[in-house]
Amino acid sequence: KTSKKMSRPSHQWDTSSGKKHMTIENEIELSTDQLPIIVDPLEAERLIEGIKMFTLEEVGTSKYLEQHRYMEKLNLQAHQNAMYNTDEYVLEAFLTFDKLQVLIHDLILIDVWKESVFPLLKEELTGRNNMRLYFILYHEATVVNLLEVFLYHKHVVESGGEKVMELVDYVAKKTSQVEWEWWRISRQIEQ
């Protein structure tokens, strides 16, 4: 009985060649005219023009979740436009229809909902497969992400008016919460 030694197949992680690092290459090179359009400029304008402010009682309704779905699409398109340095028509439509203030209101609203309403529902909904609740909670990240892309531009910050101060308060509050959690966890580890 002869024993054959099996050789390992070579691959990018093979260190026998003397290379110590894997190289990552961008396999797809797209020109800006080849990019997939998530939301075209006309649809973006239509969606943004229809964005409205909701009340605390309306959070989680079908209309609210439908607007969340639109925001997701607009967020992806805004990031794509910024990433490839193309026409930022999502950003411009938000400014044209004066909807930046609605975004900031939406962010504050979901924060208040998480503090005031969510604790009341949390126990009742534990263990259920509740996608509606997930999308409500995820909406905050969507709005923050969209604002992140927009607020890179000075003219957007300037057009935010007094609502920008509410955004500064929101960021300060979230930063303080993170610092408090960090302190609390570090104290638990020390003990």
Side-chain angles (χ1 to χ4, degrees), residues 172-184:
K173 176 183 168 189
K174 291 297 178 178
T175 303
S176 177
Q177 287 173 344
V178 168
E179 287 178 14
W180 167 251
E181 278 301 307
W182 173 256
W183 180 83
R184 189 182 64 77

Side-chain angles (χ1 to χ4, degrees), residues 103-129:
L103 276 180
I104 296 171
H105 168 84
D106 206 18
L107 188 61
I108 305 301
L109 176 70
I110 197 65
D111 190 47
V112 169
W113 186 91
K114 282 173 49 180
E115 287 183 4
S116 304
V117 179
F118 181 59
L120 302 173
L121 298 174
K122 191 175 180 180
E123 191 173 309
E124 181 183 328
L125 299 174
T126 301
R128 289 187 185 177
N129 182 8

Side-chain angles (χ1 to χ4, degrees), residues 44-131:
E45 284 186 5
R46 183 184 60 76
L47 294 176
I48 293 165
E49 190 174 17
I51 288 175
K52 69 174 217 133
M53 285 190 190
F54 286 97
T55 64
L56 195 58
E57 293 79 20
E58 293 173 306
V59 172
T61 63
S62 296
K63 288 186 180 197
Y64 181 88
L65 293 175
E66 183 178 12
Q67 183 163 302
H68 167 74
R69 197 168 44 95
Y70 298 156
M71 295 279 225
E72 277 295 312
K73 286 180 167 183
L74 293 165
N75 183 35
L76 290 171
Q77 187 63 56
H79 275 78
Q80 180 177 302
N81 292 352
M83 190 167 82
Y84 288 99
N85 203 23
T86 59
D87 180 22
E88 296 195 42
Y89 55 85
V90 173
L91 164 65
E92 294 307 322
F94 266 95
L95 294 178
T96 299
F97 296 111
D98 199 26
K99 298 295 182 170
L100 186 63
Q101 325 239 326
V102 176
L103 276 180
I104 296 171
H105 168 84
D106 206 18
L107 188 61
I108 305 301
L109 176 70
I110 197 65
D111 190 47
V112 169
W113 186 91
K114 282 173 49 180
E115 287 183 4
S116 304
V117 179
F118 181 59
L120 302 173
L121 298 174
K122 191 175 180 180
E123 191 173 309
E124 181 183 328
L125 299 174
T126 301
R128 289 187 185 177
N129 182 8
N130 198 324
M131 291 305 292

Side-chain angles (χ1 to χ4, degrees), residues 113-177:
W113 186 91
K114 282 173 49 180
E115 287 183 4
S116 304
V117 179
F118 181 59
L120 302 173
L121 298 174
K122 191 175 180 180
E123 191 173 309
E124 181 183 328
L125 299 174
T126 301
R128 289 187 185 177
N129 182 8
N130 198 324
M131 291 305 292
R132 181 176 296 263
L133 183 61
Y134 168 79
F135 287 121
I136 293 169
L137 295 172
Y138 182 66
H139 187 68
E140 182 177 22
T142 301
V143 175
V144 165
N145 204 236
L146 194 52
L147 285 168
E148 177 187 11
V149 172
F150 292 171
L151 295 174
Y152 181 77
H153 302 280
K154 183 180 178 180
H155 71 282
V156 175
V157 175
E158 291 169 349
S159 73
E162 292 296 316
K163 281 285 187 182
V164 173
M165 292 309 296
E166 290 181 35
L167 185 60
V168 170
D169 287 342
Y170 169 85
V171 171
K173 176 183 168 189
K174 291 297 178 178
T175 303
S176 177
Q177 287 173 344

